[in-house]
């Protein structure tokens, strides 16, 4: 046994703990953690906007994938800090838990609260440069190698402006990749511009040579319109605002009902998106359900013998944005990544403000209110029918007579280890047969699909439960559907869509992804959905008989340059591969390529699904005309 002594106790100083355990501070070192660096610095600038001291932010993505965030706020104080004996700027960027957000002095409400954001970004950067304009002076400081001070703050000039500029480059030894995604950054900027009317956010992307300015006149009401573009609304966008007297929590809510069956609720606390909701969302949902039930009872739109509407009934077709501003002393998130709001006072504040305003709105907009009740009645009936169908399935399963016991279609894995098991949804019986021979029998299951599944964007839940292919998938996954979906009951750690590399295969992928998005969204939130990448070509060297698999035309062109004497096979579909070839290229854990499907931006995802899969052909045609290049290049 190894001796355990005093020398084994390590004390990590300065920013060392961040570099040692970055996941504790930014969640991960993948693409999500990488972009979290940008949000930490960007949110500091937004806090200046919240406090009323800035109205312009500029974010620049440089060609070397460094990032610049500049605001016209007050600027970080340039004096010395009495505790650290460093300048205040050096303290903020090199000392954990140092900042101006621990009391209500500098910031009454702000997104950051731990005082670790700026220093964490510095710790995880190859280098960082900070420029501050304040009190007529320009101060500059430089850091490198994980936050080490290479140039302490020094005054380099004079100015009549104020603000802070942070320029940093993420450390490639920490992150899997330091390549930022401009689309993700643009959507976050767009989102923030909606939260603050009149805020100008400039995005300069030097990589793709684009410069875009985001500014909103009507705030979150415009955000709802943006999400619902292409949908048929039951009411004009309704906007509510108010403030709790006791806690001074400011509440803004905008909502609109549409003829769609989807529910979109996006919430923010002090400009930070709370992806997992929290107390403010719960307060909103509770008030919404109570208001609609009370209205329906008052005007006898619910019969006396009817039970009240459930939350899912009244939220079908709803798009809502919730934005609250909470005093610094009350704000409480789940962890540094702030995905969920824990502030209990927010529940009461949102519930009270929204209840009061929405009750009045329903009475003043009876035409819209009655349409909302009609939609809730239809949703309730569909929910009850779906519940009965699920109960019938359970009864059949218990007798062993269920048609959803897959009629021998599913080839299950031998292992019962759900975490490590994989379900392949394979296009066609022929490819399914090959996949059954190719698979790892211990952990890989195969479910062949016959043709294209139903487009759930144009169907109701009742129609889905009458569709054999959809029912088979639901039964295979074992986690339920819709409001009853429970990720902990999922029978597989990965759900892999494996189709031919052609337009029909792509269409099947989109149909399945739409189904998962509408009725099993937690699959994306827990990183369970993947797309397999079968190769397009098999090229064999005539002399050496060496074989290579290629995944696109560019790779083929390059290979032909170095291998002129070859035999080429173009795979038109999965069925043309032997079991050995399918295993080697597409199913082998060591050599395969999988695309993980995730939802980076809820609003953008909702718009894309609605436009591409919905009923409005005119909007779909417009999107295709604007986004798809139909020109053919000469070969």
């Amino acid at each position: 046994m190894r001796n355990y002594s005093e020398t084994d106790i390590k004390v990590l100083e300065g920013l060392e703990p961040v570099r040692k355990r970055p996941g504790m501070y930014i969640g991960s070192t993948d693409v999500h953690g990488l972009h979290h660096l940008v949000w930490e610095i960007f949110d500091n600038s937004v806090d200046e906007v919240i406090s009323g001291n800035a109205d312009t932010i500029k974010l620049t993505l440089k060609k070397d994938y460094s990032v610049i965030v500049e605001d016209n706020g007050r600027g970080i104080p340039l004096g010395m800090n009495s505790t650290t004996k460093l300048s205040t700027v050096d303290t903020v960027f090199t000392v954990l838990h140092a900042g101006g957000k621990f009391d209500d002095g500098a910031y009454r409400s702000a997104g950051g609260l731990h005082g670790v954001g700026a220093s964490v970004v510095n710790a995880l950067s190859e280098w960082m440069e900070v420029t501050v304009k304040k009190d007529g002076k320009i101060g500059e400081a430089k850091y490198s190698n994980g936050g080490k001070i290479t140039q302490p703050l020094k005054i380099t000039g004079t100015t009549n402006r104020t603000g802070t500029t942070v320029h940093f480059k993420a450390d490639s030894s920490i992150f899997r990749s330091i390549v930022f995604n401009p689309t993700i950054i643009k959507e976050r900027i767009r989102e923030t511009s909606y939260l603050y009317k009149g805020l100008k956010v400039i995005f300069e992307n030097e990589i793709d040579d684009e410069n875009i300015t985001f500014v909103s006149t009507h705030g979150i009401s415009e955000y709802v319109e943006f999400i619902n573009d292409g949908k048929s609304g039951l009411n004009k966008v309704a906007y509510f605002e108010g403030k709790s007297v006791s806690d001074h929590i400011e509440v803004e809510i905008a909502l609109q009902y549409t003829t769609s069956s989807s529910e979109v609720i996006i919430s923010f606390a002090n400009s930070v998106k709370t992806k997992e909701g929290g107390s403010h969302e719960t307060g909103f949902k509770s008030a919404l359900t109570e208001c609609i039930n009370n209205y329906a009872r008052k005007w006898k739109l619910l019969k006396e013998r009817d039970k009240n509407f459930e939350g899912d009934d009244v939220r079908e077709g709803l798009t809502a944005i919730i934005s609250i501003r909470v005093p610094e002393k009350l704000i409480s998130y789940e962890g540094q990544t702030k995905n969920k709001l824990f502030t209990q006072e927010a529940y009461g504040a949102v519930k009270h403000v929204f209840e009061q305003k929405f009750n009045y709105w329903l009475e003043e907009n009876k035409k819209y209110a009655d349409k909302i009740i009609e939609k809730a009645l239809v949703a309730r009936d569909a929910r009850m029918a779906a519940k009965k169908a699920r109960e019938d399935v359970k009864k059949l399963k218990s007798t062993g007579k269920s048609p959803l016991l897959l009629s021998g279609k599913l080839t299950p894995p031998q292992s019962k280890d759900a975490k490590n098991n994989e379900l392949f949804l394979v296009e066609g019986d022929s490819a399914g047969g090959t996949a059954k021979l190719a698979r790892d029998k211990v952990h890989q299951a195969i479910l062949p699909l016959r043709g294209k599944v139903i487009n759930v964007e144009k169907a109701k839940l009742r129609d889905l439960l009458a569709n054999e292919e959809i029912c088979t998938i639901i039964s295979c996954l074992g986690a339920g559907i819709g409001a009853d979906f429970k990720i902990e009951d999922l029978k597989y750690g990965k759900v892999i869509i494996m189709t031919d590399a052609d337009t029909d295969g792509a269409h099947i992928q989109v149909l399945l992804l739409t189904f998962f998005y509408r009725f099993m969204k937690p699959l994306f939130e827990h990183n369970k959905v993947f797309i397999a990448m079968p190769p397009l070509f098999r090229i064999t060297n005539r002399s050496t008989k060496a074989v290579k698999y290629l995944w696109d035309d560019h790779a083929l062109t390059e290979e032909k340059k170095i291998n002129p004497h070859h035999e080429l096979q173009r795979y038109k579909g999965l069925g043309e591969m032997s079991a050995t070839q399918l295993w080697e290229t597409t199913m082998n854990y060591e050599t395969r390529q999988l695309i993980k499907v995730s939802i980076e931006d809820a609003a953008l995802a909702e718009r894309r699904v609605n436009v591409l899969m919905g009923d409005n052909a005119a909007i779909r045609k417009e999107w295709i005309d604007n986004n798809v290049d139909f020109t053919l290049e000469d070969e």
Side-chain angles (χ1 to χ4, degrees):
M1 181 182 294
R2 183 182 178 278
N3 186 37
Y4 178 53
S5 66
E6 293 82 355
T7 59
D8 292 301
I9 305 301
K10 304 296 182 185
V11 178
L12 300 178
E13 298 181 350
L15 299 179
E16 287 183 76
V18 183
R19 294 182 66 80
K20 190 73 174 176
R21 297 286 186 268
M24 290 177 59
Y25 297 88
I26 59 169
S28 64
T29 55
D30 59 9
V31 65
H32 302 287
L34 178 70
H35 286 82
H36 192 79
L37 300 187
V38 181
W39 312 151
E40 287 288 0
I41 302 301
F42 182 70
D43 286 346
N44 285 342
S45 292
V46 173
D47 287 340
E48 285 292 287
V49 176
I50 296 174
S51 64
N53 293 291
D55 60 12
T56 303
I57 302 173
K58 182 177 181 181
L59 195 157
T60 305
L61 181 58
K62 305 289 285 184
K63 289 185 177 180
D64 64 351
Y65 286 98
S66 63
V67 175
I68 303 174
V69 179
E70 179 182 1
D71 65 59
N72 65 344
R74 290 167 290 183
I76 302 170
L78 296 173
M80 299 297 291
N81 181 276
S82 59
T83 303
T84 63
K85 308 305 181 186
L86 298 170
S87 72
T88 302
V89 172
D90 291 333
T91 299
V92 166
F93 285 94
T94 64
V95 179
L96 290 175
H97 306 291
K101 302 169 187 175
F102 294 107
D103 56 43
D104 293 337
Y107 294 91
R108 196 189 68 78
S109 63
L113 69 158
H114 299 116
V116 299
S119 54
V120 163
V121 176
N122 197 6
L124 300 177
S125 294
E126 180 182 324
W127 52 261
M128 176 183 281
E129 298 175 356
V130 179
T131 303
V132 177
K133 298 173 183 177
K134 189 176 180 68
D135 300 330
K137 303 173 184 175
I138 300 174
E140 295 181 357
K142 297 180 180 180
Y143 315 94
S144 63
N145 300 320
K148 295 179 176 60
I149 300 174
T150 53
Q151 177 189 299
L153 179 75
K154 69 175 183 178
I155 304 303
T156 59
T158 59
T159 182
N160 59 359
R161 298 184 179 184
T162 62
T164 302
T165 302
V166 179
H167 187 187
F168 71 92
K169 185 174 183 180
D171 193 331
S172 59
S173 68
I174 297 288
F175 294 92
R176 299 176 195 174
S177 168
I178 61 167
V179 178
F180 290 96
N181 184 329
T183 300
I184 294 175
I185 295 174
K186 276 189 289 188
E187 289 310 314
R188 175 63 180 267
I189 289 173
R190 185 200 308 277
E191 192 176 83
T192 302
S193 72
Y194 284 131
L195 296 180
Y196 301 97
K197 300 170 189 175
L199 168 64
K200 182 191 294 185
V201 188
I202 302 164
F203 178 55
E204 185 173 344
N205 176 9
E206 294 187 357
I207 296 170
D208 299 322
D209 193 25
E210 61 178 340
N211 193 308
I212 306 173
T213 298
F214 296 89
V215 62
S216 171
T217 305
H218 301 292
I220 60 174
S221 294
E222 281 185 56
Y223 197 2
V224 172
E225 291 172 353
F226 172 78
I227 295 170
N228 287 346
D229 183 28
K231 296 182 182 180
S232 298
L234 296 183
N235 63 282
K236 294 180 181 178
V237 177
Y239 174 77
F240 313 96
E241 64 178 336
K243 184 176 182 179
S244 64
V245 177
S246 57
D247 304 312
H248 304 289
I249 295 174
E250 299 172 24
V251 178
E252 276 189 286
I253 295 170
L255 63 81
Q256 182 182 38
Y257 279 88
T258 71
T259 55
S260 166
S261 61
S262 62
E263 169 195 331
V264 182
I265 298 177
I266 302 176
S267 62
F268 301 84
N270 294 358
S271 84
V272 177
K273 181 190 277 186
T274 41
K275 292 181 180 179
E276 297 175 22
S279 52
H280 53 337
E281 269 196 35
T282 305
F284 166 75
K285 291 177 179 179
S286 176
L288 181 78
T289 306
E290 285 184 24
C291 288
I292 290 180
N293 274 309
N294 290 340
Y295 179 88
R297 291 290 181 197
K298 176 181 177 180
W299 294 101
K300 296 183 170 40
L301 300 173
L302 272 176
K303 298 175 182 177
E304 288 187 17
R305 58 184 172 82
D306 288 341
K307 293 182 179 179
N308 276 351
F309 291 123
E310 293 186 4
D312 289 333
D313 302 333
V314 303
R315 295 196 303 272
E316 182 170 300
L318 173 70
T319 297
I321 306 296
I322 306 163
S323 177
I324 67 171
R325 298 196 244 303
V326 184
E328 198 53 42
K329 62 183 179 182
L330 296 179
I331 196 76
S332 175
Y333 299 101
E334 180 183 57
Q336 172 63 13
T337 51
K338 307 166 190 166
N339 284 329
K340 190 171 185 178
L341 184 71
F342 276 179
T343 303
Q344 289 307 308
E345 293 85 351
Y347 173 88
V350 172
K351 189 173 188 298
H352 174 73
V353 168
F354 182 63
E355 215 167 46
Q356 189 179 51
K357 305 281 185 177
F358 192 53
N359 275 329
Y360 179 78
W361 184 88
L362 290 170
E363 295 293 341
E364 292 294 307
N365 295 272
K366 198 169 187 307
K367 178 180 70 173
Y368 296 146
D370 289 351
K371 288 182 180 180
I372 292 169
I373 300 300
E374 288 173 17
K375 185 170 182 62
L377 286 167
V378 173
R380 182 199 63 182
D381 292 344
R383 172 178 55 80
M384 294 173 68
K387 181 179 179 181
K388 184 179 183 302
R390 286 190 293 269
E391 289 172 350
D392 290 344
V393 168
K394 289 179 181 178
K395 289 177 183 177
L396 283 169
K397 276 187 177 182
S398 65
T399 64
K401 298 178 182 178
S402 172
L404 301 186
L405 288 179
L406 315 180
S407 306
K409 288 178 66 176
L410 175 71
T411 303
Q414 296 171 350
S415 171
K416 301 299 182 184
D417 180 6
K419 182 180 178 182
N420 291 311
N421 285 348
E422 301 177 342
L423 174 64
F424 282 82
L425 302 175
V426 185
E427 176 186 358
D429 288 331
S430 174
T434 305
K436 289 176 185 178
L437 296 174
R439 72 186 180 116
D440 164 21
K441 295 180 180 179
V442 178
H443 290 296
Q444 291 179 336
I446 307 298
L447 178 62
L449 300 175
R450 296 172 185 168
K452 294 173 182 176
V453 298
I454 187 172
N455 181 0
V456 303
E457 193 68 7
K458 299 179 181 180
K460 299 296 183 184
L461 182 56
R462 189 182 305 179
D463 300 324
L464 261 64
L465 294 173
N467 181 273
E468 182 181 350
E469 295 297 301
I470 291 292
C471 284
T472 302
I473 294 171
I474 295 169
S475 186
C476 282
L477 295 180
I481 184 174
D484 296 331
F485 186 85
K486 293 181 175 59
I487 193 71
E488 59 270 20
D489 294 337
L490 187 66
K491 294 179 181 179
Y492 300 92
K494 286 185 174 70
V495 180
I496 303 172
I497 301 170
M498 188 162 70
T499 65
D500 293 343
D502 58 15
T503 54
D504 282 342
H507 192 196
I508 291 170
Q509 290 174 15
V510 171
L511 290 167
L512 287 169
L513 291 173
T514 304
F515 165 59
F516 292 145
Y517 176 76
R518 284 292 179 227
F519 295 98
M520 299 181 177
K521 195 175 289 185
L523 288 176
F524 298 109
E525 295 165 354
H526 291 81
N527 300 315
K528 300 295 185 182
V529 182
F530 297 82
I531 296 174
M533 292 288 289
L536 285 176
F537 307 101
R538 182 176 187 264
I539 190 167
T540 306
N541 186 293
R542 288 197 181 97
S543 301
T544 65
K545 303 302 179 184
V547 173
K548 274 189 178 182
Y549 295 98
L550 306 172
W551 274 260
D552 55 46
D553 291 317
H554 175 73
L556 177 62
T557 301
E558 293 302 310
E559 182 63 27
K560 284 180 177 179
K561 292 177 182 178
I562 59 175
N563 183 9
H565 305 292
H566 63 267
E567 295 176 0
L568 180 65
Q569 180 181 2
R570 168 68 160 88
Y571 291 119
K572 295 180 180 178
L574 297 170
E576 293 188 3
M577 291 184 179
S578 68
T580 300
Q581 291 169 352
L582 186 59
W583 166 256
E584 288 175 350
T585 62
T586 316
M587 301 179 73
N588 186 334
Y589 309 105
E590 303 298 325
T591 58
R592 70 188 184 186
Q593 299 180 48
L594 296 178
I595 297 175
K596 181 172 71 176
V597 185
S598 59
I599 302 173
E600 296 296 342
D601 184 87
L604 185 63
E606 184 64 29
R607 278 170 58 91
R608 289 289 184 268
V609 171
N610 178 62
V611 168
L612 297 178
M613 306 302 291
D615 287 322
N616 196 322
I619 287 185
R620 179 161 49 253
K621 181 179 183 299
E622 181 184 355
W623 187 91
I624 291 171
D625 288 342
N626 292 334
N627 292 275
V628 179
D629 184 1
F630 290 101
T631 58
L632 296 175
E633 294 183 0
D634 295 331
E635 293 186 359

